[in-house]
Amino acid sequence: MNSGSAEIAIPSYILQKWQRIVDLLANIVHVPSAVVCKLDPPHYTHYRILASSNSEGNPFPVDDTFSMDIGTFCETVIKSREPLLVINALEDDQWKLAPEIQVGMVSYLGFPVVWPDGRMFGTICVLDDKANRYTDLYQELLLHCRDVLQADLQTLVRFGNELEDQKAHLSELFARVPEAVVMVDGDFRITRVNPEFTKIFGYKAEEAIGQGIKELIALDDRQEEVEGFLYRNTGEAFAVETIRRRKDGKHVPVFLICVPVPSNSGGRVGYVIYRDMTDTKRLEDERRRYHEIQLELAHASRIATLGQLSASIAHELNQPLTGIITNAGTCLRMLAADSPNMDGVREAVRRTMRDGDRASQVITRLRALFSNKEPAFEPVDLNEAVREVVALSLGEIQNSQAILRTELADDLPCVSADRIQLQQVVLNLLRNALDAMTTVDDRPRDLLIRTEPEEEDSVRLSVKDAGVGFDPHTMKKLFEAFYSTKNAGMGVGLAVSRSIIENHHGRLSAALNDGPGATFSFSVPRP
């Protein structure tokens, strides 16, 4: 028990319990008086009646106080720390001057009551206005009541120690918590602040305590808002994001939490917690800007790829346009004949429409690929997406003298992806593979695109080339923005590809082949 045990206040519910005990004692033992008394701190020169039986003839009212130097029965018990039995003070020379005789009490039975640490608390006793030997049963009853009192004191001390520990922990938490914490009273005036409050708002504790919280840090145009927050009567904690004002007048974005707590007086008291959102807002702005930069890099990559694909575009469009012109000429000749071949004309028109549709599809794919739109996730057939990219790149593949082979897994599950972004990654990997084989003349320029299901509910795509490979020491730099092994490269293709795959919750990797060349792969999850 701590050194302040004797100063622990006895709560009212314990006093009520003890009052019931002395009432029962007086009734059972058939005496006019049963009493619990306590030494009064801090000097312990007096003792005071805490509980006194409501019985007829009891001369000791509650709160009656006695000096510790007048020779009372209870004084003797307290000083000796021993039980005391006085059968008849009138017939015992030792007690002829006892003060209790003056109020008619001539017999006494009392036991010392001590705190758990051994300090004297006081006594519990019964007194009679006639001689009384107090049977063994009565003595055992009084002893049992004394044990009940001491058990109550032990519980109070334990609770007191626990409360002190909790208060110490709360004080430590209050001082160290990384948010500004303010205690307010029923009028919402500040009663306590922690160091973080000073750090965030600039007011020292002595400047803040006693001030109204809304007048101190709330903006002029938010006074009504603050009153609405503070005077809510739900009794529940609530939170809101708002703005407050520092001592220097600067505005601070904060996340505010109001925590009402019960008060013995029944008034409104509680805590107001402020989290400084300045860094969070800055981080959100940086993330937003980073996302915009990603989109800009992706768009730059698509524009760069557009230049590289000009030959393929010309090849893709040239075939349907040539067909359109040829079919239109055929149609005119057939219509100009003396006997127009209408069946032939209709067939030429159908071929013209087919070639026009082919050209339109090429344009549609190109516009989608090089647009600057936000990603739209949906189930995507990766095999079909690969076929479209290959169809768009056939001209360049042929110009690069590459031998393309595809191994697209049957019954491949769809993936959750933005189709256009995923096709951009495939196109970037395909273009890199073709570039890596530009200087290869002593072996076939083999190019393999493979799809396959993976464990953990994902799908894998690999692009394997027979090119010059890369320096293993530069592995970590391959996916960095603006790093390129090409003389004329921008160094954004792989960086953008990695960003796209990571945004799809996948991974992009590179590895050197056992033979010549390298393999670039990515995995993305299924829906």
Side-chain angles (χ1 to χ4, degrees):
M1 189 175 83
N2 61 37
S3 60
S5 299
E7 281 70 46
I8 294 178
I10 308 301
S12 60
Y13 73 93
I14 293 290
L15 292 177
Q16 291 171 5
K17 174 182 176 182
W18 292 358
Q19 181 63 47
R20 180 62 177 158
I21 287 174
V22 294
D23 285 341
L24 288 172
L25 273 175
N27 188 40
I28 294 171
V29 183
H30 305 293
V31 293
S33 180
V35 171
V36 173
C37 67
K38 176 183 178 296
L39 272 171
D40 268 350
H43 303 298
Y44 306 103
T45 58
H46 294 76
Y47 68 86
R48 181 168 53 89
I49 304 297
L50 287 186
S52 185
S53 60
N54 293 312
S55 47
E56 185 178 354
N58 185 359
F60 304 113
V62 172
D63 288 330
D64 208 1
T65 302
F66 298 86
S67 174
M68 282 290 290
D69 59 2
I70 60 175
T72 64
F73 297 142
C74 285
E75 175 188 333
T76 303
V77 173
I78 291 171
K79 288 181 176 179
S80 68
R81 304 173 68 92
E82 296 289 339
L84 176 64
L85 171 62
V86 178
I87 298 174
N88 189 348
L90 296 175
E91 297 179 356
D92 190 333
D93 292 340
Q94 180 182 355
W95 303 112
K96 285 184 177 181
L97 299 178
E100 287 87 348
I101 295 177
Q102 305 302 317
V103 291
M105 298 293 107
V106 298
S107 67
Y108 173 90
L109 174 65
F111 285 90
V113 180
V114 299
W115 288 100
D117 66 350
R119 291 169 177 260
M120 281 301 302
F121 174 84
T123 66
I124 181 170
C125 60
V126 290
L127 299 99
D128 201 347
D129 55 4
K130 60 183 180 299
N132 194 332
R133 293 183 176 277
Y134 302 102
T135 65
D136 291 345
L137 183 61
Y138 288 163
Q139 293 185 36
E140 184 178 352
L141 173 62
L142 188 61
L143 181 62
H144 176 71
C145 292
R146 191 278 304 269
D147 292 342
V148 171
L149 266 62
Q150 292 189 158
D152 288 342
L153 294 178
Q154 190 171 20
T155 300
L156 286 177
V157 170
R158 186 177 71 251
F159 286 168
N161 289 339
E162 290 176 357
L163 182 60
E164 288 299 320
D165 288 342
Q166 290 178 3
K167 287 171 64 177
H169 294 158
L170 285 174
S171 294
E172 182 72 9
L173 177 64
F174 193 83
R176 297 171 66 89
V177 69
E179 279 81 30
V181 183
V182 182
M183 288 182 63
V184 295
D185 61 18
D187 295 323
F188 298 102
R189 294 193 173 276
I190 298 171
T191 59
R192 186 179 180 186
V193 298
N194 69 339
E196 193 66 18
F197 179 86
T198 300
K199 181 179 177 182
I200 293 176
F201 295 105
Y203 291 100
K204 295 180 180 178
E206 54 269 25
E207 295 176 307
I209 292 175
Q211 300 291 325
I213 191 169
K214 67 187 183 76
E215 291 83 6
L216 189 67
I217 60 174
L219 304 182
D220 293 339
D221 60 352
R222 291 179 182 255
Q223 294 291 325
E224 293 184 2
E225 169 206 77
V226 176
E227 287 191 6
F229 294 159
L230 297 179
Y231 287 94
R232 287 173 56 155
N233 293 318
T234 62
E236 298 179 355
F238 64 94
V240 67
E241 191 171 319
T242 184
I243 299 173
R244 290 294 178 264
R245 180 182 59 228
R246 286 175 47 87
K247 181 180 178 181
D248 59 12
K250 293 182 179 179
H251 292 181
V252 184
V254 295
F255 185 71
L256 177 153
I257 305 173
C258 286
V259 186
V261 294
S263 169
N264 292 333
S265 64
R268 292 186 299 262
V269 298
Y271 294 89
V272 186
I273 304 169
Y274 300 92
R275 179 180 301 163
D276 188 351
M277 301 293 288
T278 303
D279 291 340
T280 302
K281 293 292 186 183
R282 185 184 301 115
L283 182 59
E284 289 176 356
D285 292 341
E286 290 175 355
R287 285 176 177 170
R288 191 179 301 110
R289 179 56 187 155
Y290 176 68
H291 180 63
E292 292 173 354
I293 292 173
Q294 282 184 312
L295 291 177
E296 292 170 2
L297 280 176
H299 188 58
S301 175
R302 287 192 286 267
I303 296 302
T305 304
L306 178 59
Q308 297 168 343
L309 285 175
S310 58
S312 297
I313 297 169
H315 177 79
E316 284 289 308
L317 290 178
N318 187 58
Q319 287 185 339
L321 290 176
T322 300
I324 290 171
I325 294 171
T326 300
N327 291 325
T330 300
C331 185
L332 286 175
R333 286 196 302 275
M334 289 182 177
L335 289 173
D338 292 338
S339 298
N341 182 358
M342 298 308 295
D343 289 337
V345 169
R346 279 190 287 270
E347 178 61 28
V349 170
R350 279 194 293 269
R351 288 198 298 268
T352 300
M353 293 173 64
R354 179 199 64 194
D355 290 337
D357 185 59
R358 284 180 57 195
S360 175
Q361 290 180 7
V362 171
I363 297 299
T364 299
R365 288 200 300 267
L366 290 173
R367 289 183 63 185
L369 184 61
F370 299 110
S371 65
N372 192 21
K373 294 181 179 179
E374 289 284 339
F377 286 78
E378 60 184 357
V380 174
D381 183 341
L382 188 56
N383 286 344
E384 184 61 29
V386 169
R387 292 188 186 100
E388 290 183 0
V389 172
V390 169
L392 191 64
S393 308
L394 277 177
E396 187 159 3
I397 293 171
Q398 293 170 0
N399 291 339
S400 299
Q401 299 179 350
I403 303 171
L404 174 65
R405 184 163 53 93
T406 59
E407 295 180 1
L408 306 181
D410 294 333
D411 300 324
L412 189 70
C414 288
V415 297
S416 177
D418 182 290
R419 182 185 189 87
I420 300 304
Q421 287 196 352
L422 213 57
Q423 286 182 316
Q424 183 185 349
V425 175
V426 176
L427 188 58
N428 285 341
L429 298 184
L430 177 60
R431 284 291 313 141
N432 285 347
L434 294 177
D435 290 341
M437 296 188 293
T438 301
T439 59
V440 173
D441 296 319
D442 58 345
R443 59 180 178 272
R445 299 180 180 180
D446 292 328
L447 177 61
L448 172 64
I449 301 179
R450 177 188 289 122
T451 60
E452 55 191 324
E454 268 194 332
E455 295 180 358
E456 300 180 356
D457 296 328
S458 60
V459 172
R460 183 181 185 85
L461 179 140
S462 303
V463 178
K464 180 180 180 181
D465 64 61
V468 295
F470 54 83
D471 184 349
H473 297 97
T474 65
M475 173 78 75
K476 293 183 179 180
K477 294 184 178 180
L478 284 176
F479 301 104
E480 292 181 2
F482 308 114
Y483 174 80
S484 177
T485 58
K486 310 171 192 175
N487 292 332
M490 289 179 62
V492 296
L494 286 177
V496 170
S497 296
R498 183 183 67 173
S499 176
I500 290 174
I501 295 302
E502 289 179 350
N503 285 340
H504 283 71
H505 307 290
R507 60 187 184 277
L508 176 64
S509 60
L512 293 171
N513 299 331
D514 292 336
T519 299
F520 286 78
S521 307
F522 68 78
S523 298
V524 288
R526 304 176 190 176

